[in-house]
Amino acid sequence: MELRQLRYFVTVAEELHFGKAALRLHMTQPPLSQTIQALEEELGAALFERNRRGVTLSPAGTALLPEARRLLAHAQELPQLVQRAAGGEVGRLTLAFVSSADYSVLPPFLRAYRAAYPQVQITLQEATSDLQLDDLLHNRIDAGLLIPPLPDKAKEQLDYLPVLNEPLVLALPAGLPALKKKGKLTLSALPPLPLIIFPRVISPALHDAILSVFRDAGITPQIGQEAIQMQTIVSLVSAGIGMALVPQSVSNLMRTGVEYRALADATPLVETGLAWRRDNASPVLHGFLDLLRNELRKSALC
């Protein structure tokens, strides 16, 4: 069955006259009649009842008419659909992110992207940097907001764009005497609280950066508890189990029993960036990358 046959059928069904339908289609009547007969033979049923008074739709033709119109309408939409897909305006984007990004860059970027590409379906996955790298290398996600550096093996297949640099801040149980002092705090002014931190395998660079702050202050912290997600780390601080050093954006996670304070001690900057497969030619992904770069340029100008 061809779309041309359906278009001829719909025209005859609307005119209920082969001569008028042929004029409307800019053709002669014999080939139009032959096309309708061929369609009826293909479908195994008469679509029109022909008599001396004229032409009427048969029950089979009445059933076919709305479906034929629907198929023709969808066919007319196909070029626009293909063009939108080629331009990254429709499709699916699978984006992973570290938990700290949920309190910093992720919400504004998603708002901007949804406004620009409302018909793209976004699948979000919270995951640690090590899991994101594995998912990227195995084509399970399109892109990931993670904490670098990328391993040398991953650099062979992935591209990377820095998105955010921020300092580490203290997350402390509320009510500590040291918190009565306003402003920045030094590690030496704090009681020897256990350190709550994530396992090193999740993000070796950030883990080492946190411990380097204590080392530079001449302090060897006691690891009191390990937790994977920043939300869990902050919850453990809230429970009074210990203290933590977290990226500054995590301080947007307000939790009863936790006070965030800046450090007077020198702290390294924590970088968050976007990684994606270099060979991923998805128009949806590249639309996201273009928007992200534009948003970063605008924020740099502010």
Side-chain angles (χ1 to χ4, degrees):
M1 187 184 302
E2 300 176 3
L3 290 175
R4 174 181 60 87
Q5 293 174 300
L6 292 178
R7 187 169 66 254
Y8 288 4
F9 161 72
V10 169
T11 304
V12 175
E14 291 174 347
E15 297 292 342
L16 291 178
H17 192 285
F18 276 86
K20 293 180 180 178
L23 287 173
R24 182 171 153 189
L25 291 166
H26 306 289
M27 61 189 301
T28 59
Q29 184 172 333
L32 173 60
S33 298
Q34 292 168 5
T35 300
I36 296 299
Q37 289 173 359
L39 179 60
E40 290 175 323
E41 290 175 4
E42 184 175 350
L43 294 174
L47 300 175
F48 296 99
E49 295 176 354
R50 302 162 178 85
N51 52 52
R52 292 181 179 179
R53 293 191 302 271
V55 178
T56 59
L57 278 169
S58 69
T62 301
L64 176 61
L65 182 57
E67 294 303 315
R69 284 172 169 157
R70 180 179 60 82
L71 289 171
L72 291 171
H74 282 312
Q76 288 180 333
E77 294 171 357
L78 285 177
Q80 185 179 2
L81 174 64
V82 171
Q83 292 166 10
R84 292 202 308 268
E89 296 178 22
V90 295
R92 181 183 297 273
L93 177 73
T94 304
L95 176 66
F97 61 95
V98 291
S99 57
S100 57
D102 196 21
Y103 306 106
S104 55
V105 296
L106 183 63
F109 287 156
L110 284 181
R111 282 194 296 271
Y113 185 70
R114 286 188 184 278
Y117 298 94
Q119 294 184 322
V120 172
Q121 295 181 338
I122 305 174
T123 301
L124 297 173
Q125 300 176 6
E126 185 174 351
T128 54
S129 297
D130 58 327
L131 295 180
Q132 289 189 46
L133 289 170
D134 187 64
D135 285 343
L136 284 167
L137 294 175
H138 289 89
N139 271 321
R140 290 191 286 262
I141 59 175
D142 292 308
L145 279 165
L146 48 76
I147 296 174
L150 305 185
D152 290 338
K153 182 179 179 180
K155 289 179 181 178
E156 298 173 2
Q157 301 181 57
L158 304 182
D159 281 333
Y160 175 80
L161 175 66
V163 172
L164 174 69
N165 278 289
E166 57 183 334
L168 293 166
V169 299
L170 287 164
L172 298 166
L176 291 179
L179 292 175
K180 294 179 180 179
K181 178 184 176 182
K182 301 298 182 182
K184 296 182 178 181
L185 297 176
T186 60
L187 289 175
S188 59
L190 298 174
L193 296 171
L195 177 64
I196 303 169
I197 196 171
F198 49 86
R200 186 177 185 276
V201 66
I202 289 176
S203 181
L206 179 55
H207 188 281
D208 293 346
I210 290 172
L211 293 185
S212 73
V213 177
F214 287 90
R215 184 176 60 250
D216 293 345
I219 298 172
T220 302
Q222 172 196 352
I223 306 298
Q225 186 75 39
E226 288 188 336
I228 294 176
Q229 303 295 348
M230 288 293 172
Q231 301 96 309
T232 307
I233 290 174
V234 172
S235 293
L236 292 173
V237 173
S238 174
I241 292 175
M243 61 176 288
L245 277 179
V246 297
Q248 185 179 52
S249 57
V250 177
S251 63
N252 292 320
L253 171 58
M254 304 307 297
R255 190 65 56 86
T256 302
V258 177
E259 186 166 336
Y260 299 99
R261 296 291 283 274
L263 266 172
D265 306 84
T267 66
L269 293 176
V270 178
E271 182 172 289
T272 301
L274 188 80
W276 66 95
R277 286 188 65 90
R278 191 172 296 122
D279 60 1
N280 190 339
S282 164
V284 171
L285 170 63
H286 287 275
F288 179 77
L289 293 174
D290 289 342
L291 181 137
L292 179 59
R293 293 187 179 103
N294 287 335
E295 291 297 310
L296 292 173
R297 280 195 290 268
K298 286 193 292 186
S299 61
L301 295 173
C302 294

